[in-house]
Amino acid sequence: MKRNLSALKKALQFGISGAVGGFVGNLITEPFMQRLTGSASFPDSVFSTARWFGLVGGGIATAIMFGYYYYIKGKPQIKQALKNGGLFGLIAGAISGAIAEGIYSGIGDGENELLRVICWGIAGSLLGLGLAQRIPNLGALRGTGGGGVGGVLGGCLFILFAYNLSGTAGRLAGCAAIGFWIGIMLVVAETLFNKAWLVISYDTGANRTLTLGSEPVTFGSDENLSIICIPNVSPLAMRFQLEAGQIVCENVDSGAVSYLRSGDQKKIGNCTITVGNSDLPAPTPTNVPPTFISAQPAVNSFTSSQFSLKLGSGVIPLSAGTQLFTSDIPSLTAAASNGLVAIVTSRSRNELSLGLTNLCDRAWWATDIQGDIKMVEPETTLTLALGTKIEFGEIDGEIV
């Protein structure tokens, strides 16, 4: 739910930004707009349209980048938006405008509205492709597809406005519609077809969603090093990335690396980061290294005899092979008929690393001494570390 609401907010923000950019871009070029007549040559038509949509494309790209920076940082970043959106948007807009006009005037008869809509789709595709190089993990395919669909939808409205409004008003409204739908559809394509994402929940109640991919999503207090700026933490504190089909989190301060599943959480500064994924394979001992929620190396943190599970006033010693039943943790229901809800397993030959395997029919939530939260799903194993607190439904336990 948080992801959907955050994605909706993001789509509207991108859409409104794109609409403003399209409107302003056309407004700038409107006084110099050449009124092409039927006698205008083909090269003149192509050049005029390239110049016009170059400015419109530059406005749309700059405004969408402005919306992106405002979304992730919570404050205006005009200089960055111009730097990363203005020039490439101008070039992409000019190229796409020239191609579209070449197709429309060279292939069509100048009256085919369906062909005009297709040309707007081509223009939107190239703008989306350009934006995909600036927005982390948007991806060329999603950027091109989203921009293309947005261009088609906006192009339909452009034609509608052109027929029902005066020339200038129709172009202003039409370019705003194109920018709006390109911005909207970029986020829709990103949300529908991404494999993994982060939902960032701030203590203030605000939420943001970012797509995970090959480009790291970084958190820290230095704006030059971090995509998401968090006050009162290290300049570069945490890094998330999608590597070889797995969600990887690196704690830069300690060097600890975690392999995360959907629902796992990390706490940093004033925000909680929740991992989500669509079709990633579940981690297993054969395809994923052990996930240590403690920042300490395993050889220094674990021994086969030092752990116990504290449940209320009772303490259960934990060693390799220890079995826990529903009589030990009444809030849990065993997945099998034998009543076994958890078992302690050794994760190395010399038993220096112990894990607690979930054998019940529900997930647990584990919080380590650093405050990081992890979901332990059925048939998965939590590596034991001193100070880890585990929520077994209505009963809380602690590794001591």
Side-chain angles (χ1 to χ4, degrees):
M1 180 62 71
K2 284 184 178 180
R3 182 206 179 199
N4 293 335
L5 291 175
S6 182
L8 176 61
K9 176 183 175 182
K10 185 177 182 180
L12 289 175
Q13 196 159 315
F14 276 41
I16 292 172
S17 297
V20 172
F23 183 92
V24 172
N26 189 83
L27 188 65
I28 293 173
T29 192
E30 192 64 32
F32 310 101
M33 195 75 178
Q34 290 185 353
R35 308 299 181 183
L36 296 178
T37 65
S39 61
S41 66
F42 177 77
D44 287 341
S45 298
V46 172
F47 177 77
S48 179
T49 302
R51 181 182 58 189
W52 168 56
F53 201 70
L55 289 172
V56 172
I60 291 174
T62 299
I64 289 179
M65 290 306 302
F66 177 88
Y68 167 75
Y69 287 125
Y70 191 82
Y71 177 78
I72 64 172
K73 297 183 181 296
K75 59 182 180 180
Q77 301 280 310
I78 299 176
K79 185 177 180 180
Q80 278 187 292
L82 284 169
K83 177 182 177 182
N84 292 317
L87 181 59
F88 98 82
L90 182 68
I91 295 173
I95 293 174
S96 61
I99 293 174
E101 181 63 29
I103 295 174
Y104 183 66
S105 298
I107 300 177
D109 56 7
E111 300 294 334
N112 190 325
E113 301 301 350
L114 177 60
L115 184 58
R116 179 181 290 183
V117 169
I118 294 174
C119 290
W120 282 121
I122 294 172
S125 295
L126 291 181
L127 271 181
L129 177 61
L131 285 166
Q133 312 306 313
R134 299 296 191 276
I135 299 177
N137 297 317
L138 172 59
L141 188 59
R142 290 192 292 263
T144 302
V149 174
V152 168
L153 294 174
C156 292
L157 289 177
F158 185 98
I159 294 172
L160 179 64
F161 292 142
Y163 276 110
N164 291 277
L165 300 173
S166 65
T168 298
R171 282 189 294 272
L172 287 170
C175 288
I178 289 171
F180 176 80
W181 281 108
I182 288 176
I184 288 282
M185 293 311 299
L186 285 176
V187 178
V188 170
E190 178 188 49
T191 303
L192 288 179
F193 299 107
N194 62 358
K195 291 185 176 181
W197 58 88
L198 301 176
V199 177
I200 306 161
S201 303
Y202 292 86
D203 293 345
T204 58
N207 294 294
R208 295 188 177 96
T209 301
L210 291 180
T211 295
L212 277 178
S214 58
E215 185 171 346
V217 177
T218 51
F219 294 77
S221 58
D222 190 332
E223 291 189 359
N224 296 319
L225 298 176
S226 306
I227 293 176
I228 300 295
C229 294
I230 308 294
N232 304 318
V233 299
S234 301
L236 179 58
M238 199 169 288
R239 181 187 291 116
F240 292 82
Q241 194 170 3
L242 192 60
E243 290 184 352
Q246 299 297 333
I247 302 170
V248 182
C249 172
E250 178 186 359
N251 186 321
V252 179
D253 291 332
S254 65
V257 175
S258 302
Y259 292 80
L260 307 179
R261 297 171 59 119
S262 183
D264 287 353
Q265 294 183 323
K266 293 287 184 178
K267 178 71 175 178
I268 175 172
N270 63 347
C271 72
T272 300
I273 305 162
T274 305
V275 173
N277 71 284
S278 56
D279 58 354
L280 295 180
T284 65
T286 59
N287 63 13
V288 179
T291 298
F292 300 112
I293 63 172
S294 169
Q296 299 298 321
V299 294
N300 294 330
S301 297
F302 311 122
T303 68
S304 61
S305 60
Q306 76 178 92
F307 296 118
S308 296
L309 176 62
K310 182 178 180 182
L311 295 169
S313 58
V315 177
I316 303 174
L318 301 179
S319 58
T322 298
Q323 297 179 339
L324 302 177
F325 294 86
T326 52
S327 57
D328 299 308
I329 312 176
S331 60
L332 299 181
T333 301
S337 59
N338 58 8
L340 189 64
V341 294
I343 187 171
V344 180
T345 57
S346 174
R347 308 188 73 179
S348 63
R349 291 185 178 181
N350 56 11
E351 298 191 355
L352 291 177
S353 175
L354 295 179
L356 187 63
T357 301
N358 183 353
L359 298 179
C360 70
D361 62 353
R362 63 185 298 178
W364 311 332
W365 289 96
T367 305
D368 68 7
I369 59 175
Q370 307 296 328
D372 291 338
I373 304 172
K374 179 179 179 62
M375 183 171 67
V376 185
E377 296 186 49
E379 299 184 0
T380 63
T381 300
L382 170 71
T383 303
L384 297 183
L386 292 174
T388 299
K389 297 181 179 179
I390 310 173
E391 295 182 16
F392 300 109
E394 293 76 25
I395 296 179
D396 294 336
E398 183 179 359
I399 303 301
V400 296

